[in-house]
Structures are given as C-alpha cells and as structure tokens.
C-alpha cells in the first residue's frame, strides 16, 4: 500500500489560528472594546516553562487575544497561588486561565489543589476535576477538554474519516492526554480500548486499532509492524534519543517507530510538527470558545444580576417588618454581579462589605455612566421621601428596566436614628437592607471619625497645656527626643520647619529663635473652632467646661460637643478622591489661629499621619443592596447644613465606572434643593470633576399645602384636615416653592424631573395639579410615584422619564467663580437660590471675611449653614419668600474639606432628644437576636 499521508500539525494549527483570528474580529465588531482574555499563571522561572509561555503569548497576540502573564516568585506559597487564582477567577476580563505546570516553588504546593481552584468555566486547559468529570459523563458542550486530546481530535477530523463505529486504541492513561483522549473518542462513538505499560497483549491490541493514539512517553515504543493497515496514527510523544549526526548529539522522536509505521498507516502525525503545534492552537480555541460563552450569558457592559422578587402586602407593614422579611443575597454575590473582583471586596459579614480603592484604579479607563442627583422641595419636619425615592428609582431602573444602576447614599447618624427622625434607609418597599445594619454601626466609619476628631481635640488642649507649663528647651527636648544619643526630626516635623521657612534637617542646627518658632504654636484659645464630637443627640453637651481636674493646673476653658457627622473629618471623607488626597486634606484642617493671627493646622499639631491611620478603612465605600437586589454604596454622611450633605465622591466615582456608559448612578443630596443640591453642584461636583445629567426633585402634596399656608406639620402629631382633604387652592398657592426649586435646578443647566411622591390621602386632582404646575415651571417631566407601597414597580414611570432626560444635552455650569470675593459668592447664593434681596454681615462675620481672605482661604467655595425648613433664614417663612435680607451671623472655615461656611441665623450642631425619642420603640429579641421596633 502507499505510504501514509502526513497530518501536519503546523498546517492545521495555522488554519485554526486564521479561523480564530476572524472570530475575534467578528466579536470586536459586534461588541466594540471587547477582547477575549487569557491569563497564564507561572510560579518560578523554569527555562522550559518560559519557552512554552512565550509560544502561547505569541499565538494569543497573533489571534487578537489579550494575554496576561502573571509570574510569582519561587518563594510563593500555596496560599499565595490560591489568592492569585481567586482574583483571576473573579476578573470578568479573563475568559481563559491556565496554571503553567510544573510549579517551580521552594514551598510545598499541592498541584491538584491548585488546578482544581481554577474556575471550571475558565479552565481552558481542562485539567480541573469538574471538567474531567463532565468529559467522562459526555457533557462535551459544557466543559473544556485538555488541549492535547482536543488537538488530536482536530487532526483526526482532518482525515475526513468518520470516528463513529471505529475501533480506537489509546496507549497511555495520563490525566492530561490518555484518560481524556479515551473519553473524547468514546463520546464521539468509537469503541475504545486503553492500554498502558502493564498491558501484556499491547501489540495485539494495537493491531486492532482503526484509530491509534499513543501517549506513553517511551521512545518508539509502538512498532510499525504492530499497526493495522490503513489505521490513523496520532503520535503524542516527544522523546530525545542519541544521534551522533546531530550537533546536539540527540534527536527528537515520538512514541511510534515513524519510518516503519508510515508504511502501514493511512494517516500519521510526524514528530516534531504533528500534535505539538496543535496543543497551543487548541488552547487559543478554548479561550475564544470561553469568550463566546461569556458573551452568550453576559453582554459586555451589562450586568448578569439576580433581582429579588417582592411580595407586596396591603396595608404596607412597618419598615423593619418588610426589611426582616427579605432574605438579602450574599454580599459577595452582589459584588461579583456588578463586576468587582474578590480581592477588591472586604466582607463584613454576609450583608455588607467594603470596596477597596484599587477597583477605581483598575476601572480608570472605563467610561462613566449617567449621573443623577435626587433632591427635594423645602420639606416638612417629616421629610418628603428623598431616600425612599432614590431607592425606588434604582429598583425601577434595575429590577424592572434591567439597566445597570447604583444608588449612592449617606450613612445616617445614630443621633437622629434614636432621636426624632428614625432611620434613613428609605421606607416601605424601597429600602436598603438589612435596614438595622444600615442605621446602626454599619462598618464603623462614624466611630472612626469620632476617634480621629477627638484625637485632634485632645492634641489641641494638650499642646496648649504643655506650652503654658514648659520652657522652649524643655518642649524641644520632648518634641525631638534624643534616642541613643541621636536626635531626628520626623517627616511631619520637617514639614512644619519648611512651613516656617527653616530649611534645616539637623535638630542640633536650630537657633534659639528657630527653636521658639518650632515648638510654640501659640494657640489663641478664643479662636479655637475644633470641638469634640459624639454620635448621640445630647443637648447637655452643647456647652461645657473642660480642664477642671487639679492635674490641669487651672487651665480650663469653655468648649462644646457637636454630633459626629458635623465634624470636618466627615466632610473630608466625603470629598476626598483617594488616600493621598484625604491625608493632605486632614493635614490642612485649621483648628485655631495663633496669637499672631496665623492658622494652626492638624499638620502643625503633628497628628496628620495618625488621623490617616484611623481613617484608612473608613475611606473604603460600603456595599449593600436594596430590597430588590440592586447594589448600593453607603459612604460618608456629612451634615447638610454646616457641611455639604452629600455622600462620598469616591463611592460615586467607583459606581459610575461599574455601571458603564449606559448605566445610571443615583445619589441623594440632603434637605431641599436650595441646600443639598446647591452644595452638590457648587462644592461636590467642583471637587470631583463629575457632571450630572439629571435632577430628580421630590415633592409631596402635603409639603406644598404647607407652603400654601397650611397649618404647622409636627412629628408625632396627627395631620390637620387641610392635609387629608382635597384643597386645590391651598395646593396651587404652595406650588410657588416647587416652582422656585425647579428654577434653582435649572440655574445649573441640568434637566429636572419632578417626582410627586403620592400618599394615600392625595386625590387624583391634586396629583395632576402638581404635575401640571411643575411642567409649566420648566420641569422636563413630572411623574406620580407609588414606590413606597409598590417598590420599583411604582417608580417605573419616573425611571423612564429619567432615561429620556439623560439623553438630552446637559449644559451644566457652576453658580459662581471661586475667585470672586467671599461676600460676592454669599450674595449670589442668597439672591439667586434663596430669593433674598441682599445680605447683611454682622461684625463677627465681617471680621472672619477679612481674616480668611488674609490667611489665603478667600477662594474656597461657600457652604451656607441655614435652616432647611424655609428658603429664607426664618423657618416660619414658607412658600417662596422674596425681598428679605439674609443675615450672616458668623463665618467659619473647613479648610481641609475645602469650603467656608457662613452661619445664617441660629442652629445647633448637637441635636437634643425629644420628649419621646425613637428609642422607645426599639428593642432586641433575646431569643432570635432580631431588632424589633421602628427605625
């Protein structure tokens, strides 16, 4: 018979690569920006492994696969390798993932444990037990096949001979070639016999084979005369035998005696150039197949997310009943669904997690989604449902319209939670869950701020005490102690010297005058603006005397406690865009002035590094979920009057990257549009560089009737009949406040959607009137919402309106240029946002304008501290008052956060408890450990 036809792996693998290259091009055309991803994990630095890896990287580059070579040192432990595998398993950009064997480590590593740790859906080497099990069961469409057997099958197909019904013999039973080759032939309907080194009748069995695959690892073990005439022979062996004619003194041969076998076989693979090139080609093919499977399940930029089905009840149960009836998804599942990697998520139990800032760095080149801010009209003391609307909107966009969407909310203070307001997790069927976790400690961020703030306060008083009781030299000896006969400045002390214009690094080189400047901050007690804080409403701490112990030697002063969320450190957290930025802002915080009128900062106190350490975990946003399973970032909770009242810049930035170009991030601004929204635009957006697409303005019939002249609304007191009976005249008059707040939003060039939060006592005519007047005032749309009772379903119309508005041009602009004088910036806000005719600076405020301008803080944005219950400074003035003069009592500086805050009227930064606080209704079940009561 004629000699066998050569099955060239080089030719077939080239054809495979060309086909894969075309498939990748088609993927990119259909899904712009998408590329199949292959990760190769290597431990150590073996020369042979490096050679094989370079072949794979070259093939990947030729085809258009994005290949990433991760190299761990040979000192890597099993735990190191498993951690790296976990990260790659979770990376949605990696579709194929192989561990290069052998593992070249000095440490003991269980290879089987490592290969089984690779996610089966990414195991393109097909070496995991799960893929091997699926192959043995015949689930060929749902597994990956080891590359060498897969290449052998491709070569067999090239012959055009039908495998079904043929007798096949596999010589070798390794996990990598022999065993999977047996299964592959079997499920392609061949009758298969596996032989090995212990098979006593090997020649006889080989002689029966129509298809012979040899992977025994022994040079020319199978003789040509054993082979059945016309058989297909696939030789997987690579062996070196002595050959004096070769320069190397050896040559490569297979497991089959090629020269005699080719005379009997109909097809045969050469060695080299047969199966070898096919192995790499099949690795590439499996990677492309994995990417195709990924695209079938997940559209790039579209999350594959499991939403939670609500079971609605009427009447609507209490918030905590609804929250506790819901079984939240494990938070690591939520993280995976939105595209976070395992090593970017730090779990705090089953329902909350912190997200590392490395996620933002990884996603930095991703386009941002649409940015939506939820605000409101001037509210009643009961609140008008901004948080509930925020949650309802994201539930509608996500669970009902299947958009990528994130909510970004502030963390509530425990003061109001146990005081008069209750929790802030939303309400009804629009909540962040578990709501008791949300409303209480969460992950401890507020406690970290309390500790950091009070460390600064302690440092202020301690420094004054030591300066009053010690000489310059004694202070210097303690501030720069001699350790082992050597004095050395710390980094923060070097910064202070540079600030003083002293360019010396040798502690022994300072003159007496320089020592005096260095050791004495000379704080003027009357200028101290830094107060101690506590996250509890306690009115009796509003004014206290400190330093009354005999050990303080009579150095006492009047001070106060504020609530923690009013601390400048909370505002710093909310406005920072990274650890380095946060540390710089903390250092810039001004705590007082010196007797020379110079600002004294946290950096001058030497406390900056310690503050950063206390805040290192707090800077990571907290991940939670809504009742319907949409993701939520809960991060930072600055007061909305003396601070800017918005959640963190970092949470928004990470969320905007995660949702992608077509997704939505919905954040909430505290109080009415005149306060939280104005600060969101002029402060938060100025520092973040982010530009909003849509404003959602929440309004209620109840609040608008109040603005029309309705009786006072008081928490805990039944509503008067004016609010429970139809009164269109009263309502129409109150819409003046709605009109003004719509105009306030439009001043910034952003389209406005009015969300009319419907209550059961509202009539259809009343709701229609609000919508009509909102549109007449310039709103893009006005939509009735029933999300409190219906969850996301009740906000679908709102969500569709937001989608439409987000497609219109947003001509965003700031209200003022920060370079303007301080007084002019305040006047612009007062006249254009509040409706004032002018402002009046009281003497103390005028002095501060002069001081802060002199100290270099005049170019900071303005953060007005005024009542949220009126557009004016008088909480009794409802509607849209005009013609009033806004009194500015004082001005203070949050230099680290980055704003000046004028004080309008009187207000307390430490709330008190009412006669009947919310804690009367809160209890713990001692058996189940569940929280009971209202939040």
């Amino acid at each position: 018979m004629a000699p066998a036809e050569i099955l060239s792996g080089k030719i077939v693998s080239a054809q495979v690569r060309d086909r894969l290259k075309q498939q990748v091009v088609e993927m990119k055309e259909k899904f712009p920006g998408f590329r199949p991803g292959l990760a190769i994990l290597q431990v150590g630095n073996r020369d042979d492994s490096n050679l094989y890896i370079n072949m794979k990287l070259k093939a990947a580059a030729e085809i258009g696969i994005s290949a990433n070579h991760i190299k761990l040192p040979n000192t890597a432990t099993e735990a190191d390798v498993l951690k790296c595998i976990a990260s790659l398993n979770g990376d949605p950009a990696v579709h194929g993932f192989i561990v290069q064997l052998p593992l070249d480590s000095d440490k003991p590593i269980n290879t089987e444990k490592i290969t089984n740790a690779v996610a089966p859906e990414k195991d393109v080497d097909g070496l995991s037990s799960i893929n091997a099990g699926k192959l043995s069961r015949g689930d060929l469409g749902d597994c990956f096949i080891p590359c060498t057997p897969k290449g052998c099958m491709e070569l067999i197909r090239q012959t055009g001979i039908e495998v079904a019904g043929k007798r096949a013999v596999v010589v070798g039973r390794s996990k990598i070639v022999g065993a999977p080759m047996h299964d592959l032939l079997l499920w392609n309907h061949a009758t298969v016999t596996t032989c090995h080194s212990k098979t006593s009748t090997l020649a006889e069995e080989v002689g029966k084979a129509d298809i012979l695959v040899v992977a025994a690892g022994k040079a020319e073990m199978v003789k040509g005369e054993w082979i059945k005439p016309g058989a297909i022979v696939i030789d997987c062996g690579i062996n070196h035998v002595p050959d004096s004619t070769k320069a190397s003194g050896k040559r490569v041969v297979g497991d089959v005696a090629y020269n005699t076998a080719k005379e009997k076989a109909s097809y045969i693979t050469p060695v080299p150039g047969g199966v070898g090139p096919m192995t790499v080609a099949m690795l590439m093919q499996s990677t492309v197949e994995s990417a195709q499977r990924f695209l079938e399940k997940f559209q790039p930029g579209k999350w594959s997310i499991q939403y939670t089905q609500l079971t609605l009840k009427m009447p609507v149960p209490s918030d905590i009943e609804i929250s506790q009836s819901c079984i939240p998804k494990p938070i690591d599942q939520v993280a995976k669904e939105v595209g976070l990697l395992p090593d970017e998520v730090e779990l705090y139990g089953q329902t909350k997690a912190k997200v590392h800032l490395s996620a933002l760095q990884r996603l930095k080149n991703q386009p941002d989604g649409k940015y939506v801010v939820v605000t409101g009209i001037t509210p009643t003391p009961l609140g008008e449902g901004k948080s509930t609307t925020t949650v309802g909107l994201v539930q509608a966009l996500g669970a009902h319209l299947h958009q990528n969407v994130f909510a970004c909310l502030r963390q509530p203070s425990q003061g109001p939670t146990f005081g008069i307001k209750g929790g802030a997790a939303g309400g009804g069927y629009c909540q962040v869950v578990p709501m008791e976790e949300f409303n209480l400690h969460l992950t401890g961020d507020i406690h970290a701020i309390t500790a950091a703030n009070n460390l600064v306060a302690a440092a202020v008083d301690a420094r004054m005490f030591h300066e009053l009781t010690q000489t310059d030299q004694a202070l210097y000896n303690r501030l720069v102690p001699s350790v082992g006969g050597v004095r050395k400045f710390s980094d923060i002390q070097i910064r202070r010297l540079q600030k003083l214009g002293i360019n010396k690094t040798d502690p022994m080189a300072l003159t007496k005058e320089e020592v005096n400047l260095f050791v004495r901050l000379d704080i003027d007690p009357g200028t101290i603006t830094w107060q101690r804080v506590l996250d509890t409403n306690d009115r009796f701490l509003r004014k206290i005397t400190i330093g009354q112990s005999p050990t303080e030697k009579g150095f006492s002063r009047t001070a106060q406690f504020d609530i923690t969320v009013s601390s400048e450190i909370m505002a710093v957290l909310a406005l920072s865009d990274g650890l380095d930025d946060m540390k710089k802002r903390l250092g810039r915080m001004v705590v007082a002035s010196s007797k020379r009128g110079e600002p004294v900062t946290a950096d001058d106190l030497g406390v900056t590094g310690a503050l950063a350490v206390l805040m290192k975990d707090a800077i990571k946003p907290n991940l939670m979920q809504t009742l319907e399973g949409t993701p939520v970032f809960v991060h930072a909770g600055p007061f909305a009057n003396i601070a800017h009242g918005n959640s963190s810049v970092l949470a928004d930035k990470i969320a905007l990257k995660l949702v992608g170009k077509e997704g939505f991030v919905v954040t909430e601004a505290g109080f009415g549009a005149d306060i939280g929204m104005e600060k969101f635009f002029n402060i938060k957006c100025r520092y973040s560089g982010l530009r909003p697409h849509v404003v959602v303005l929440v309004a209620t019939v109840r609040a608008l009737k109040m603005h029309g002249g309705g009786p006072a609304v008081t928490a805990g007191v039944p509503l008067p009949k004016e609010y429970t009976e139809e009164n269109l005249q009263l309502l129409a008059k109150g819409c003046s406040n709605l009109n003004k707040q719509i105009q306030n939003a439009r001043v910034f060039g952003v389209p406005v959607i009015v969300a009319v939060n419907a209550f059961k006592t509202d009539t259809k005519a009343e709701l229609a009137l609000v919508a009509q007047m909102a549109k007449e005032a310039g709103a893009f749309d006005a939509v009735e919402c029933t999300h409190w009772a219906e969850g996301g379903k009740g906000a679908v119309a709102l969500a569709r309106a937001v989608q439409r508005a987000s497609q219109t041009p947003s001509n965003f602009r700031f209200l003022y240029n920060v370079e303007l004088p301080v007084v002019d910036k305040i006047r612009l806000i007062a006249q254009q946002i509040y409706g004032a005719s002018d402002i009046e600076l009281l003497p103390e405020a005028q002095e501060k304008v002069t001081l802060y301008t002199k100290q270099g803080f005049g170019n900071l944005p303005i953060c007005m501290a005024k009542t949220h219950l009126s557009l004016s400074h008088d909480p009794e003035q409802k509607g849209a008052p005009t013609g009033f003069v806004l009194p500015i009592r004082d001005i203070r500086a949050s230099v680290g956060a980055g704003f000046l805050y004028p004080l309008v009227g009187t207000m307390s930064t430490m709330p008190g408890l009412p006669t009947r606080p919310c804690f009367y209704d809160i209890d713990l079940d001692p058996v189940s450990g569940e929280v009971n009561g209202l939040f």
Side-chain angles (χ1 to χ4, degrees):
M1 63 180 289
E5 187 173 329
I6 307 302
L7 290 172
S8 170
K10 291 181 180 178
I11 294 172
V12 177
S13 65
Q15 294 169 351
V16 170
R17 289 197 299 273
D18 287 343
R19 183 179 73 243
L20 295 176
K21 194 185 302 183
Q22 182 58 37
Q23 289 175 0
V24 170
V25 168
E26 291 170 2
M27 282 185 197
K28 292 178 181 177
E29 289 173 352
K30 190 173 181 180
F31 303 101
F34 179 82
R35 288 181 73 188
L38 172 66
I40 304 172
L41 176 59
Q42 179 185 11
V43 179
N45 194 36
R46 284 175 60 118
D47 289 340
D48 54 351
S49 292
N50 291 334
L51 177 64
Y52 298 143
I53 289 169
N54 285 335
M55 289 167 56
K56 294 165 186 174
L57 294 174
K58 183 179 177 182
E62 178 190 342
I63 292 165
I65 293 170
S66 175
N68 184 19
H69 178 199
I70 302 98
K71 203 168 189 177
L72 298 181
N74 59 7
T75 55
T77 64
E78 186 173 273
D80 295 332
V81 180
L82 290 171
K83 182 180 178 182
C84 188
I85 289 173
S87 177
L88 293 167
N89 283 342
D91 190 343
V94 173
H95 309 108
F97 169 25
I98 68 167
V99 179
Q100 184 68 40
L101 300 177
L103 300 168
D104 180 26
S105 175
D106 297 341
K107 306 291 191 295
I109 297 181
N110 184 326
T111 300
E112 186 169 0
K113 185 176 181 180
I114 295 301
T115 54
N116 279 326
V118 177
E121 67 273 16
K122 298 187 178 187
D123 173 31
V124 287
D125 250 348
L127 299 182
S128 69
S129 297
I130 290 177
N131 276 319
K134 287 182 175 181
L135 175 58
S136 69
R137 292 191 322 186
D139 297 335
L140 303 189
D142 188 36
C143 73
F144 286 109
I145 298 160
C147 298
T148 300
K150 190 172 184 175
C152 293
M153 281 303 298
E154 184 63 32
L155 289 169
I156 292 168
R157 288 191 193 99
Q158 291 292 316
T159 68
I161 296 173
E162 182 71 34
V163 174
K166 298 294 188 294
R167 183 180 291 277
V169 172
V170 179
V171 181
R173 53 183 173 181
S174 72
K175 292 180 182 179
I176 296 176
V177 183
M181 192 72 233
H182 171 279
D183 294 335
L184 198 52
L185 286 163
L186 179 67
W187 294 111
N188 277 274
H189 311 298
T191 301
V192 189
T193 301
T194 297
C195 299
H196 44 77
S197 59
K198 303 297 183 184
T199 302
S200 58
T201 57
L202 182 59
E204 182 182 337
E205 296 298 334
V206 167
K208 299 174 184 176
D210 300 312
I211 300 170
L212 176 65
V213 181
V214 186
K218 292 185 178 180
E220 300 183 328
M221 172 185 175
V222 174
K223 310 305 179 188
E225 56 269 24
W226 298 358
I227 294 169
K228 180 180 180 180
I232 300 170
V233 178
I234 308 294
D235 188 351
C236 302
I238 299 178
N239 308 284
H240 294 89
V241 296
D243 188 338
S244 58
T245 66
K246 301 290 184 182
S248 62
K250 57 185 177 182
R251 61 186 170 91
V252 177
V253 298
D255 290 353
V256 177
Y258 178 78
N259 289 330
T260 53
K262 70 179 181 180
E263 300 300 325
K264 297 193 70 175
S266 58
Y267 295 91
I268 192 169
T269 58
V271 177
V275 173
M278 293 300 296
T279 300
V280 174
M282 291 301 103
L283 175 64
M284 300 301 121
Q285 182 168 308
S286 291
T287 302
V288 172
E289 287 172 359
S290 181
Q292 288 169 332
R293 292 178 191 176
F294 174 83
L295 291 174
E296 288 170 6
K297 289 176 65 178
F298 312 102
Q299 295 179 38
K302 203 75 173 172
W303 296 339
S304 177
I305 187 166
Q306 176 189 329
Y307 296 109
T308 307
Q309 190 75 31
L310 292 178
T311 303
L312 303 177
K313 293 182 180 179
M314 291 297 291
V316 177
S318 70
D319 290 350
I320 198 160
E321 284 180 77
I322 293 171
S323 175
Q324 291 180 344
S325 69
C326 163
I327 301 176
K329 297 179 289 187
I331 201 65
D332 56 341
Q333 178 185 331
V334 177
K336 184 178 181 181
E337 288 173 341
V338 302
L340 289 164
L341 306 185
D343 59 359
E344 294 169 344
V345 180
E346 191 176 324
L347 301 180
Y348 279 64
Q350 293 293 309
T351 57
K352 54 189 187 288
K354 280 200 164 289
V355 174
H356 292 232
L357 305 190
S358 58
L360 185 58
Q361 177 64 24
R362 174 175 64 86
L363 298 166
K364 64 182 178 181
N365 294 323
Q366 295 294 321
D368 287 344
K370 303 291 195 304
Y371 199 25
V372 181
V373 60
V374 177
T375 185
I377 61 170
T378 305
T380 68
L382 305 179
E384 309 317 307
K386 289 195 312 298
S387 298
T388 304
T389 301
T390 301
V391 175
L393 175 56
V394 298
Q395 289 182 173
L397 284 166
H400 298 269
L401 299 183
H402 305 294
Q403 301 295 305
N404 293 358
V405 62
F406 241 105
C408 290
L409 299 176
R410 289 182 296 163
Q411 180 183 353
S413 164
Q414 286 181 182
T417 295
F418 289 113
I420 195 168
K421 185 176 182 292
Y429 286 103
C430 297
Q431 296 185 52
V432 180
V433 289
M435 59 101 79
E436 59 268 40
E437 299 278 353
F438 177 94
N439 284 315
L440 296 177
H441 308 281
L442 197 58
T443 57
D445 294 351
I446 291 180
H447 302 317
I449 291 165
T450 302
N453 182 99
N454 292 343
L455 180 61
V456 176
V460 169
D461 288 304
R463 185 59 176 262
M464 287 196 301
F465 174 79
H466 292 308
E467 287 187 24
L468 287 166
T469 56
Q470 297 181 51
T471 65
D472 288 358
Q473 193 58 48
L475 283 168
Y476 193 62
N477 290 342
R478 286 174 171 83
L479 287 169
V480 194
S482 175
V483 180
V486 177
R487 286 190 176 193
K488 185 180 179 183
F489 290 123
S490 66
D491 290 343
I492 202 165
Q493 289 175 327
I494 293 287
R495 288 204 298 273
R496 172 150 173 79
L497 288 168
Q498 291 170 345
K499 180 179 176 180
L500 294 169
I502 303 170
N503 296 312
K504 296 178 180 179
T505 57
D506 181 2
M508 305 305 294
L510 268 63
T511 66
K512 284 186 177 181
E513 291 76 13
E514 289 170 340
V515 167
N516 174 267
L517 283 172
F518 174 73
V519 301
R520 296 207 176 269
L521 299 180
D522 233 2
I523 293 171
D524 180 351
T527 67
I528 295 172
T529 55
W530 197 268
Q531 310 298 344
R532 289 163 173 82
V533 298
L534 190 68
D535 194 33
T536 302
N537 288 7
D538 191 345
R539 65 191 318 125
F540 286 92
L541 294 176
R542 290 172 179 171
K543 194 168 187 177
I544 60 173
T545 302
I546 61 173
Q548 292 188 317
S549 169
T551 55
E552 273 50 76
K553 303 179 182 179
F555 297 108
S556 64
R557 67 181 181 90
T558 300
Q560 69 186 55
F561 269 83
D562 295 337
I563 196 154
T564 298
V565 291
S566 71
S567 168
E568 183 177 351
I569 295 177
M570 176 64 89
V572 165
L573 175 67
L575 290 170
S576 296
D577 69 1
L579 271 169
D580 185 56
D581 183 45
M582 181 181 73
K583 186 176 176 183
K584 288 175 181 175
R585 287 175 180 271
L586 291 170
R588 290 198 300 265
M589 295 186 306
V590 174
V591 300
S593 292
S594 71
K595 292 172 183 174
R596 297 184 297 276
E598 296 167 347
V600 177
T601 67
D603 220 43
D604 293 326
L605 288 167
V607 75
T608 305
L611 297 180
V613 169
L614 285 170
M615 295 293 292
K616 69 180 178 64
D617 292 318
I619 198 171
K620 304 167 192 170
N622 304 296
L623 179 65
M624 295 187 75
Q625 64 192 291
T626 68
L627 281 167
E628 295 191 55
T630 57
V632 181
F633 275 139
V634 184
H635 198 216
F639 246 27
N641 43 30
I642 70 166
H644 64 291
N646 287 267
S647 59
S648 79
V649 165
L650 278 168
D652 289 1
K653 284 190 170 184
I654 295 172
L656 283 163
K657 295 298 183 186
L658 288 170
V659 300
K661 187 177 181 181
E662 301 303 319
F664 291 84
V665 170
V666 182
T667 190
E668 178 194 342
F671 294 149
D674 55 307
I675 300 182
M677 182 197 71
E678 182 269 317
K679 296 172 183 179
F680 171 81
F681 289 141
N682 281 323
I683 298 175
K684 184 175 181 180
C685 290
R686 197 184 298 270
Y687 281 122
S688 70
L690 300 173
R691 298 293 178 261
H693 294 80
V694 183
V695 170
V696 174
L697 184 71
V698 179
T700 63
V701 169
R702 176 183 68 194
L704 292 172
K705 285 181 175 179
M706 178 194 71
H707 287 295
V713 175
T714 306
V717 177
L719 287 172
K721 64 182 178 61
E722 286 86 349
Y723 297 103
T724 58
E725 297 176 1
E726 185 175 286
N727 190 328
L728 298 178
Q729 186 177 357
L730 190 66
L731 178 62
K733 185 179 177 185
C735 281
S736 61
N737 185 272
L738 173 65
N739 296 352
K740 176 57 178 167
Q741 299 288 30
I742 290 171
Q743 294 309 314
N744 283 343
R746 295 188 68 195
V747 161
F748 295 93
V750 184
V752 185
I753 305 289
V754 173
V756 187
N757 194 8
F759 292 0
K760 64 181 180 181
T761 54
D762 300 339
T763 68
K764 288 293 180 185
E766 288 175 329
L767 294 168
L769 178 62
V770 176
Q772 175 193 332
M773 296 195 75
K775 292 175 187 176
E776 289 173 357
F780 179 90
D781 202 352
V783 183
E784 177 187 340
C785 303
T786 55
H787 46 274
W788 179 80
E790 296 184 300
K793 176 185 173 185
V796 167
L798 174 63
R800 292 193 191 282
V802 167
Q803 284 182 302
R804 292 194 304 274
S806 71
Q807 301 303 318
T808 63
S810 175
N811 302 309
F812 176 71
R813 54 189 173 271
F814 297 119
L815 179 65
Y816 55 80
N817 186 325
V818 290
E819 302 296 324
L820 288 173
V822 172
V823 174
D824 290 354
K825 288 182 283 192
I826 297 172
R827 183 176 289 113
L828 273 170
I829 296 171
Q831 292 178 334
Q832 294 200 34
I833 301 299
Y834 305 155
S837 59
D838 203 353
I839 61 172
E840 178 188 9
L841 267 68
L842 301 185
E844 194 170 356
Q846 188 61 62
E847 288 173 12
K848 293 292 180 61
V849 170
T850 304
L851 174 66
Y852 293 144
T853 302
K854 178 184 175 184
Q855 290 180 337
F857 307 141
N859 291 341
L860 292 175
I862 301 299
C863 184
M864 300 290 281
K866 80 168 187 73
T867 178
H868 63 290
L869 297 174
S870 172
L871 280 161
S872 74
H873 57 285
D874 180 0
E876 300 305 316
Q877 281 196 298
K878 304 302 180 184
T882 58
F884 58 91
V885 175
L886 192 76
I888 309 300
R889 178 169 58 86
D890 194 4
I891 301 176
R892 295 181 186 164
S894 288
V895 178
F899 52 75
L900 301 178
Y901 60 99
L903 303 179
V904 182
T906 58
M907 63 182 62
S908 173
T909 49
M910 171 54 83
L913 290 172
T915 305
R916 191 183 193 282
C918 291
F919 60 62
Y920 274 75
D921 300 303
I922 298 171
D923 201 1
L924 185 73
D925 186 313
V927 177
S928 67
E930 283 191 343
V931 176
N932 298 320
L934 299 174
F935 266 101

